[in-house]
Structures are given as structure tokens and as C-alpha cells.
């Protein structure tokens, strides 16, 4: 049971940050954490546990060494160094990035597969207790994930 990110971007490195519910954070009860590094074909589980039990909604932002970006409309300040802090804690932050929504529904496991522009994924599995989305960056810096 986990939130997992997979890179299918050839000859590139991707860094990932995400937001998850943390009732210990004041204001908006979300924690921000980053950066996990992935090479092509690698995966990383950023949260281990029953996802649906914690919250239905998660958010992520990813960027690659070669300039690809997977982003969304939720602006959050982050640092370029590894971090784990409440969403509105701006200590040591250096820039603002846009996080995009992941609605995991009632899934216990969820996988986000990051792919290059123009990638046409196979249909995502249906039913069961796990889900996934395909992030397809088209270089326009909009919320550009394709729900499969």
C-alpha cells in the first residue's frame, strides 16, 4: 500500500515533491515533502500505508534535468534542498511551484507514471484496490496529466 512514482522518461532524471494530509499542520493541514530523484525505469514510494485511510487527495510536482515539468494550479513555496515541512512553513524556501491534484478515490495503492511529451500510455487498470495516472508533459506548463 503506497503512493508510487515511476519514470518512463529516457535519458533524463526527474525530481518529485508531493503534498499529503497532516492534521498536525495549522491552517491548511498538508505537509510538503521533496525531493526524490528518479532515472528512467526507476520507481519510488513516497508514502507507505493505506492511502485512502489518510486522505483521498494528494498533490505532486515534478521536474526533470532536461526541462520537463509536471505541474498544476496549487502554488507552494519549496526549497531546492530536501525538505519535509507544513505547507505554509516557508523557512528556507527559494521558489514557488505549482502542484497538481491526485484524486486516489478509495484506492489503497496509487501509481503516477511520468512520461515524456507525446507518449500514449496503455489503458490504466480498472477495478480493484489500486489506481494510476499517466503524467504527460507537453511543455506548456499547464495541468497536463492524462487520466487513463
Amino acid at each position: 500500500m503506497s503512493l508510487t512514482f515511476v519514470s518512463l522518461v529516457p535519458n533524463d532524471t526527474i525530481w518529485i515533491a508531493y503534498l499529503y494530509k497532516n492534521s498536525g499542520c495549522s491552517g491548511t493541514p498538508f505537509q510538503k515533502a521533496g525531493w526524490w530523484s528518479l532515472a528512467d525505469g526507476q520507481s519510488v514510494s513516497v508514502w507507505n500505508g493505506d492511502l485512502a485511510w489518510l486522505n483521498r487527495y494528494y498533490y505532486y510536482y515534478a521536474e526533470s534535468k532536461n526541462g520537463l515539468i509536471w505541474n498544476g494550479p496549487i502554488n507552494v513555496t519549496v526549497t531546492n534542498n530536501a525538505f519535509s515541512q507544513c505547507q505554509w512553513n516557508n523557512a528556507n524556501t527559494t521558489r514557488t511551484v505549482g502542484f497538481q491534484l491526485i484524486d486516489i478515490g478509495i484506492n489503497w495503492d496509487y501509481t503516477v507514471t511520468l512520461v515524456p511529451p507525446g507518449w500514449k500510455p496503455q489503458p490504466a487498470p480498472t477495478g480493484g484496490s489500486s489506481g494510476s495516472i499517466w503524467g504527460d508533459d507537453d511543455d506548456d506548463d499547464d495541468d497536463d496529466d492524462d487520466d487513463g
Side-chain angles (χ1 to χ4, degrees), residues 18-33 47 51 53-59 83-89:
Y18 83 114
L19 298 172
Y20 63 95
K21 186 174 183 181
N22 179 350
S23 58
C25 290
S26 62
T28 305
F30 277 86
Q31 181 93 10
K32 57 187 174 183
W47 177 265
L51 291 175
W53 177 82
L54 179 63
N55 193 30
R56 178 178 176 170
Y57 303 106
Y58 295 79
Y59 302 84
F83 62 91
S84 181
Q85 61 195 118
C86 291
Q87 179 179 352
W88 300 115
N89 180 344

Side-chain angles (χ1 to χ4, degrees), residues 2-113:
S2 63
L3 176 58
T4 302
F5 290 86
V6 176
S7 171
L8 294 182
V9 180
N11 305 312
D12 209 348
T13 302
I14 297 173
W15 291 275
I16 298 162
Y18 83 114
L19 298 172
Y20 63 95
K21 186 174 183 181
N22 179 350
S23 58
C25 290
S26 62
T28 305
F30 277 86
Q31 181 93 10
K32 57 187 174 183
W35 297 102
W36 285 265
S37 176
L38 292 176
D40 182 25
Q42 289 185 327
S43 65
V44 64
S45 294
V46 298
W47 177 265
N48 292 303
D50 183 346
L51 291 175
W53 177 82
L54 179 63
N55 193 30
R56 178 178 176 170
Y57 303 106
Y58 295 79
Y59 302 84
Y60 79 96
Y61 169 84
E63 61 186 39
S64 81
K65 178 180 174 184
N66 293 332
L68 299 176
I69 296 175
W70 295 262
N71 63 354
I74 308 300
N75 290 322
V76 177
T77 57
V78 297
T79 177
N80 287 328
N81 299 314
F83 62 91
S84 181
Q85 61 195 118
C86 291
Q87 179 179 352
W88 300 115
N89 180 344
N90 293 330
N92 299 317
T93 59
T94 55
R95 61 191 173 121
T96 301
V97 298
F99 284 70
Q100 68 176 282
L101 173 68
I102 304 170
D103 181 350
I104 65 148
I106 60 170
N107 294 301
W108 301 339
D109 291 299
Y110 206 86
T111 300
V112 177
T113 304

